[in-house]
Amino acid sequence: YPIDDYSNVATLPYVMGGHNSFIYLFGRLGIPFLVLITLIYIAVFKEYFYHKQYYYSTNQILIFWSFFAITVMALFNPILESPLFASGYWMVLGFIARCIYNRKLIENKSMPVQ
């Protein structure tokens, strides 16, 4: 979108939305988005704080840090509404899901069967 007329700057599509992905998506998707994103972050934070030592020992803590970094960037930039950047967000969240799955799998194998 090149700027032909500077009087139209206020209506250009890339400057109209807020520069916070979570507020923008809450405005577009409403309460279901808020519930979904809250449940996701509760699960990720619980996993991070309860099993931090395990993730440090397996060097998977970097995936959590990457997710937190993308979250901070989404607070100040339109990341989640862009297909290119949102794919990175969801991909890292998928990596976290796999880390959680692997930890639970190892935890279940180490428990004795009664």
Side-chain angles (χ1 to χ4, degrees):
Y1 298 97
I3 299 176
D4 296 334
D5 184 15
Y6 282 99
S7 63
N8 295 336
V9 168
T11 60
L12 291 174
Y14 52 86
V15 295
M16 283 183 63
H19 287 288
N20 183 321
S21 288
F22 300 106
I23 292 174
Y24 179 78
L25 287 175
F26 173 65
R28 287 191 69 187
L29 302 175
I31 299 295
F33 168 75
L34 189 61
V35 170
L36 178 68
I37 206 73
T38 301
L39 292 174
I40 288 171
Y41 276 95
I42 287 172
V44 169
F45 278 117
K46 276 186 179 179
E47 186 70 23
Y48 175 76
F49 286 112
Y50 287 151
H51 303 285
K52 190 187 303 186
Q53 194 58 40
Y54 168 80
Y55 293 116
Y56 270 111
S57 67
T58 59
N59 290 329
Q60 295 174 350
I61 197 74
L62 297 175
I63 296 172
F64 282 88
W65 290 349
S66 299
F67 181 73
F68 297 147
I70 292 172
T71 298
V72 170
M73 286 187 282
L75 291 174
F76 301 105
N77 296 301
I79 288 180
L80 296 178
E81 55 269 18
S82 163
L84 182 65
F85 296 127
S87 61
Y89 175 85
W90 293 109
M91 184 178 66
V92 172
L93 186 59
F95 289 157
I96 288 178
R98 184 59 185 204
C99 291
I100 294 170
Y101 175 79
N102 289 343
R103 183 197 56 78
K104 288 182 179 181
L105 191 64
I106 291 171
E107 186 176 276
N108 288 340
K109 283 184 180 179
S110 66
M111 297 177 95
V113 179
Q114 294 184 12

